[in-house]
Amino acid sequence: MPFTARDRSKYPVVIGCDEVGRGALCGPVVVAAVWFEPQLIPRKLLRELDDSKNLSVDKRIELTAWIRKTCRIAVAANSVTVIDARNIRNATLDAMRRAVVKLQIDSPIMIDGVDVPPGLTGECTAVVQGDSKIPQIAAASIVAKTVRDSLMARLASRYPAYSWERNAGYGTKHHRDAIKDYGITPHHRRSYAPVAQYSLNFQAADVELVEELMAIEFA
């Protein structure tokens, strides 16, 4: 684990922000912003924070519930429509800005990656591999992935051929083969090269589920 209780005084008091879904072929990009004081959260929670990709599904769900109880959290997302219209980079940065603003906390901000969202006031820093360096970013990655995976699993029940409950919309072989066999859904990103060549074979998107995600509040 990258974070230890004995070093908790060395970790900054910041807003950590991370995204999930940037590289997926379908579904929204989801961002979480998390603020806490490392010296005040439970020691065990601090020790178990990590890049969400290093944790099991059950552990992410467990930690998300714990983070919600002990930290300040906000979630924002942008839909496939926005991603295709504005490109994934701009859609991600916009969701990051909205998640941070939603927290309404005056604190330095640390963003995972190389880009800083425009439109934020105050100190804002991009941190490469931040989810292994800044505990708040690690917490944000866990929350964002849990929220997005849950949505993709619900959408999978409408489109079972693509196995989104297992691949979360990423370009696995099974997912790509399903696109070849069945075409694309309204949730696929038609601006992405692996998707653009295929026809839309479904007429109605599950707008209500995406809107439900957009409305999530962690206050």
Side-chain angles (χ1 to χ4, degrees):
M1 297 297 179
F3 308 108
T4 61
R6 69 174 179 272
D7 291 330
R8 60 196 303 169
S9 63
K10 300 178 183 178
Y11 301 128
V13 180
V14 297
I15 295 170
C17 188
D18 202 1
E19 58 78 24
V20 171
R22 187 164 182 159
L25 299 183
C26 64
V29 61
V30 176
V31 169
V34 178
W35 179 92
F36 58 78
E37 297 185 46
Q39 295 189 66
L40 298 182
I41 67 168
R43 289 173 177 265
K44 188 174 186 294
L45 173 57
L46 184 63
R47 288 196 301 267
E48 294 194 0
L49 293 177
D50 200 347
D51 179 351
S52 61
K53 294 185 291 294
N54 296 333
L55 302 171
S56 69
V57 174
D58 288 344
K59 177 56 70 173
R60 288 196 298 265
I61 293 172
E62 174 191 337
L63 289 176
T64 294
W66 203 355
I67 293 165
R68 291 181 64 180
K69 291 178 181 177
T70 57
C71 310
R72 294 281 297 277
I73 298 174
V75 174
N78 266 323
S79 68
V80 171
T81 301
V82 176
I83 292 169
D84 284 343
R86 299 183 59 186
N87 77 49
I88 186 60
R89 177 179 177 272
N90 289 331
T92 300
L93 293 176
D94 174 72
M96 286 179 165
R97 178 190 59 79
R98 289 188 288 110
V100 170
V101 169
K102 192 184 294 187
L103 275 180
Q104 297 185 323
I105 297 174
D106 183 12
S107 177
I109 305 154
M110 291 191 171
I111 307 286
D112 184 61
V114 297
D115 290 326
V116 171
L120 291 174
T121 59
E123 180 184 349
C124 189
T125 306
V127 183
V128 175
Q129 296 182 337
D131 40 21
S132 65
K133 300 172 182 177
I134 308 298
Q136 293 90 340
I137 294 179
S141 77
I142 293 167
V143 172
K145 184 158 180 58
T146 301
V147 170
R148 188 178 187 279
D149 284 359
S150 176
L151 175 75
M152 294 308 298
R154 294 178 65 181
L155 289 178
S157 66
R158 272 74 167 174
Y159 306 95
Y162 304 90
S163 297
W164 292 339
E165 74 282 2
R166 294 200 300 273
N167 60 49
Y170 287 88
T172 63
K173 183 180 185 304
H174 178 90
H175 188 184
R176 289 173 182 265
D177 287 346
I179 291 173
K180 293 176 183 177
D181 292 340
Y182 302 104
I184 59 173
T185 74
H187 299 288
H188 280 98
R189 301 173 184 178
R190 280 171 275 182
S191 58
Y192 278 36
V195 172
Q197 60 185 301
Y198 296 101
S199 299
L200 179 66
N201 283 346
F202 300 87
Q203 297 304 312
D206 296 292
V207 176
E208 74 282 358
L209 291 181
V210 177
E211 289 181 345
E212 180 178 324
L213 173 69
M214 306 297 185
I216 288 177
E217 294 278 356
F218 292 91

